[in-house]
Amino acid sequence: MSRQDELGMLRIILEEQYERHSTQLALLARQARQAPGDEGDLAAASALTAASRRALGDIARALHYLEQGRYGTCERCHCDIPIEQLAIRPAAQFCTTCQPEAPHLSGS
Ligand SMILES: [Zn+2]
């Protein structure tokens, strides 16, 4: 399978995730209107809402890059991000080497 084919499959994953987070946001909004709940529920719901919004932003950017043919390229070193990594985090902007918050296995 060519990288182009693999990126095409990732587009499907991205679109599914976008759909899922949109649905999640809609459900959270409806839940908030129908059963506001106590403060603990509200905090949990707003944390979920924030996470879904952030994910939607990441996915939208990834889809935008796909359109432009820039998707799957590390924004720092401009290498191709391995497809295995994109499969785990389709919205990844950096390769494993450049990923800022990647846990570093130093030494070994
Ligand atoms: Zn890189």
Side-chain angles (χ1 to χ4, degrees), residues 37-79:
D38 61 30
E39 264 172 52
D41 291 340
L42 282 177
S46 72
L48 278 174
T49 302
S52 272
R53 287 228 176 91
R54 207 164 37 233
L56 275 177
D58 285 349
I59 296 162
R61 190 194 52 231
L63 285 168
H64 179 66
Y65 281 6
L66 259 172
E67 300 281 316
Q68 297 183 325
R70 289 162 61 196
Y71 179 71
T73 304
C74 174
E75 289 191 7
R76 192 141 145 219
C77 71
H78 304 288
C79 68

